[in-house]
Amino acid sequence: MNVLQKSLTDYAIVQKYVGLFERMQQTPQDSIHHQEGDVYTHTEMVLNALVELPEFQELTAYEQRLLEYTALFHDICKPDTMEIWGDGRISNPRHALKGANLVRQILDKENEPLDFIRRVHYLVRFHGYPFHVINRRNPLRDAIYLSLLSDNKLLYIFAKADLLGRICNTHDEMLYNLELFREFSIENNIFGESKAFASDYDRFHYFNVDESYPDTQLYDVTAFDIYLLCGLPAAGKDTYLRTHLTDLPHVHLDAIRQEFDIDPTDNQGQVIQVSRERSKELCRKKQSFVWNATNITAQIRSTLIGMWLPYKPKIHIVYIYKNINQTLRDNAAREETAQVPLHKIMQMFERFEFPDVTECHRLSIVQ
């Protein structure tokens, strides 16, 4: 009989957020893929399988902590996403994506360093991918994508523990796919390292224009620069602009609201229309400029970049990061008329999505 060497309650983070983990004890799992029982039992089995793996023991202390936190939180949102089908089967659609967003918020509130937050976030988000990448439409693109946002070696090690921490009828098939993922990543030089593109331009082209040839070296046809700011209110975007990029025109949504006397709670149709038209006027002139707004989701950023792309700009995303606790303190210290309502900041914090290097030619993170 396997004797558990670790308990989830050995971790202070679990004790602090015990309510989230208690829910997992009441959440059943699919009888085909998880015969070991509830989500809590599976999570504890995964944790113990992980720390016993030789590959885990060879990692640095920092990498081990990354994977331990991934184990703790990888299924944290299964209670929120459980669906029971007519035949009694259970699924948890999008639980990894939701869990990644939740762990991002928790670790930020706990004042963890941004690098740790981002890496755990992506490991949780993609923890199931190694079992399926080889069967996807374009496995090379997906494996490259994982290497850029996460770490295929760490994903492989965690997925191995995830498989060992369950009782299922598909063990052999899943292990086969997992080993294919490892060999595929090694073959393409993306196991434990990010894909090395010839240039930022080639990487952007591969993910946004033509994904067929990741190693083709293309002629850079960009003619001007667009700096798209990304960050919560009170994170310091305006402060950054006062010391950087001061010579460039700014398309500033708050300034347009003031110009047309439109309150942030009013209909924003005119603000959006005016701001987009002004940005396109600058694009037609091949004039570099700054787009100053929160831009908190990938969809918002993608829509803007797609609008500008025909003009052949070089896209820079400047992510202004400030810990949420400090952000709230700094917002409260502003003049009352300049303060953003607390609930608005928290709504955006909950919806926030990290910008990544596949969205742009260059990603800068300012802390």
Side-chain angles (χ1 to χ4, degrees), residues 20-267:
L20 291 174
F21 291 88
E22 287 178 341
R23 299 183 315 157
M24 299 196 301
Q25 294 176 316
Q26 309 302 320
T27 305
Q29 297 187 103
D30 184 67
S31 59
I32 301 297
H33 296 296
H34 286 282
Q35 297 169 26
E36 71 279 359
D38 60 73
V39 179
Y40 189 97
T41 298
H42 165 64
T43 300
E44 202 160 54
M45 290 174 66
V46 170
L47 177 64
N48 281 276
L50 175 68
V51 298
E52 293 172 1
L53 283 175
E55 298 97 324
F56 175 84
Q57 295 167 10
E58 294 171 358
L59 297 174
T60 66
Y62 185 64
E63 290 171 327
Q64 289 180 350
R65 186 166 184 259
L66 287 170
L67 289 186
E68 287 182 80
Y69 270 65
T70 302
L72 297 177
F73 287 98
H74 77 285
D75 283 346
I76 197 70
C77 280
K78 273 191 173 180
D80 302 310
T81 58
M82 184 177 69
E83 295 181 359
I84 302 178
W85 302 350
D87 59 0
R89 296 291 302 277
I90 296 174
S91 67
N92 304 86
R94 298 170 63 85
H95 77 276
L97 182 62
K98 290 179 179 293
N101 184 40
L102 179 58
V103 74
R104 171 188 62 79
Q105 297 175 54
I106 289 173
L107 296 182
D108 201 35
K109 291 175 183 176
E110 293 301 309
N111 301 310
E112 291 286 355
L114 178 60
D115 179 75
F116 187 80
I117 297 170
R118 292 175 73 231
R119 294 184 71 177
V120 174
H121 165 85
Y122 285 125
L123 285 165
V124 170
R125 177 177 168 184
F126 298 128
H127 75 265
Y129 273 54
F131 298 119
H132 308 293
V133 162
I134 206 69
N135 296 318
R136 293 170 69 89
R137 181 186 66 82
N138 190 335
L140 179 59
R141 183 187 187 278
D142 287 349
I144 289 174
Y145 181 72
L146 294 179
S147 81
L148 293 170
L149 272 65
S150 188
D151 182 315
N152 286 350
K153 180 180 178 180
L154 295 184
L155 283 168
Y156 164 79
I157 294 172
F158 178 77
K160 198 172 193 178
D162 193 11
L163 182 57
L164 291 171
R166 71 177 76 186
I167 302 171
C168 64
N169 297 336
T170 56
H171 181 278
D172 290 346
E173 176 187 349
M174 295 177 71
L175 181 60
Y176 178 73
N177 286 345
L178 179 57
E179 293 303 322
L180 283 180
F181 171 75
R182 176 181 179 273
E183 293 301 319
F184 187 66
S185 297
I186 291 173
E187 179 183 341
N188 288 281
N189 301 312
I190 50 175
F191 191 69
E193 57 185 312
S194 298
K195 167 65 179 177
F197 283 86
S199 69
D200 294 342
Y201 181 83
D202 293 330
R203 184 193 63 241
F204 180 84
H205 188 90
Y206 179 68
F207 282 102
N208 298 277
V209 181
D210 182 358
E211 64 185 30
S212 299
Y213 306 105
D215 294 316
T216 300
Q217 297 185 36
L218 302 169
Y219 179 73
D220 187 340
V221 299
T222 55
F224 62 107
D225 299 287
I226 298 177
Y227 295 85
L228 186 152
L229 300 192
C230 171
L232 294 175
K237 295 185 294 298
D238 291 340
T239 300
Y240 177 83
L241 287 180
R242 282 195 292 269
T243 54
H244 302 81
L245 309 174
T246 55
D247 296 332
L248 295 181
H250 295 176
V251 179
H252 194 323
L253 270 63
D254 285 341
I256 292 173
R257 291 186 186 97
Q258 292 178 4
E259 180 182 343
F260 290 90
D261 195 23
I262 297 174
D263 191 87
T265 59
D266 295 338
N267 185 293

Side-chain angles (χ1 to χ4, degrees), residues 300-314:
I300 290 172
R301 297 189 294 266
S302 176
T303 299
L304 290 169
I305 292 169
M307 175 180 67
W308 299 326
L309 203 54
Y311 301 97
K312 297 181 171 52
K314 178 173 288 185

